[in-house]
Amino acid sequence: MSNSLLVEQCKQHNRKAQLALYKKYCDGMFIIAQRYMRDTAAAEDAMQEAFIKAFQKLEQFKGDVTFGAWLKRIVINTCLDIIKARKLEIQSLNEETLHIVDEDDEWHVPDKTTIEEVKAAMETLNENHRLVVKLYLLEGYDHQEISEILNISESASRTNLHRGKIQLQKQLKHVQDGTGY
């Protein structure tokens, strides 16, 4: 059954269509939730909450993007809301000390670095850097979108990304040199 047909049936509160749509997207959305939440249970809860929000707001889905992209945005925003609600305070940066960082096109990680090593290194970053790095590198958001999502300035987004990348490079260099883990 096509996504558009499932979505239309879901808008009519068809429980079987909701279950089919859930089954179709739950694994992918769980992976996205895991990128932001520290443990499996929290990721599952965030994903469930995101699906509930999606089904409640399905009338707002107009089809200008794919359903998966629309749902992914809801999952990410739900995870960020949960993080904020838990008062895992995102330290506010003093805007006066920020400077705009030029995009670093020369950024590399060692060729032998695995995806698992990069993800593990990301998890060790402080909250500010980790969220911006994940939104930028994994989700593909630009600094304007990140600034809106996290309610920070674009320059703070650029600075957090730059500092996060520096920390990632340091950690991944240690892994490459055999001094990590």
Side-chain angles (χ1 to χ4, degrees):
M1 188 177 293
S2 73
N3 277 354
S4 58
L5 183 58
L6 279 175
V7 169
E8 287 307 313
Q9 289 179 353
C10 288
K11 286 181 179 180
Q12 297 168 7
H13 306 289
N14 180 324
R15 297 291 181 207
K16 288 182 180 180
Q18 288 176 339
L19 181 60
L21 206 56
Y22 175 83
K23 286 181 178 180
K24 189 170 190 173
Y25 286 99
C26 69
D27 291 338
M29 295 304 129
F30 175 70
I31 290 168
I32 292 181
Q34 276 189 307
R35 291 180 187 162
Y36 295 92
M37 307 311 289
R38 290 278 184 195
D39 60 66
T40 303
E44 288 172 349
D45 290 345
M47 183 196 66
Q48 294 293 335
E49 189 175 325
F51 268 99
I52 290 169
K53 286 180 184 178
F55 287 134
Q56 288 172 342
K57 297 181 181 202
L58 206 51
E59 293 300 324
Q60 295 176 11
F61 176 68
K62 302 298 180 201
D64 50 345
V65 296
T66 65
F67 179 78
W70 183 77
L71 182 60
K72 177 181 175 181
R73 182 112 190 184
I74 292 172
V75 170
I76 291 169
N77 287 336
T78 300
C79 290
L80 294 175
D81 289 345
I82 291 170
I83 290 169
K84 289 175 189 175
R86 287 186 183 160
K87 302 198 192 288
L88 294 176
E89 294 177 354
I90 298 175
Q91 300 171 349
S92 60
L93 295 173
N94 184 351
E95 296 290 328
E96 296 167 7
T97 63
L98 293 177
H99 64 283
I100 297 196
V101 179
D102 294 328
E103 289 295 322
D104 186 4
D105 295 330
E106 299 293 318
W107 192 73
H108 301 287
V109 295
D111 288 337
K112 294 180 183 177
T113 306
T114 66
I115 292 172
E116 289 76 24
E117 290 169 336
V118 173
K119 286 181 179 179
M122 281 183 184
E123 291 304 318
T124 66
L125 298 175
N126 77 38
E127 193 78 20
N128 295 338
H129 300 156
R130 187 176 75 247
L131 289 175
V132 173
V133 166
K134 285 182 175 184
L135 288 169
Y136 188 85
L137 295 178
L138 297 179
E139 308 303 339
Y141 289 121
D142 62 27
H143 292 293
Q144 180 183 355
E145 293 169 318
I146 293 170
S147 70
E148 291 169 6
I149 291 169
L150 296 179
N151 198 27
I152 61 175
S153 68
E154 284 186 47
S155 61
S157 175
R158 292 181 197 286
T159 301
N160 282 323
L161 177 65
H162 178 73
R163 291 176 181 168
K165 282 181 173 181
I166 289 171
Q167 290 301 312
L168 278 176
Q169 282 182 310
K170 286 179 184 176
Q171 290 190 13
L172 294 172
K173 182 173 180 0
H174 290 299
V175 170
Q176 185 67 24
D177 294 343
T179 58
Y181 301 117

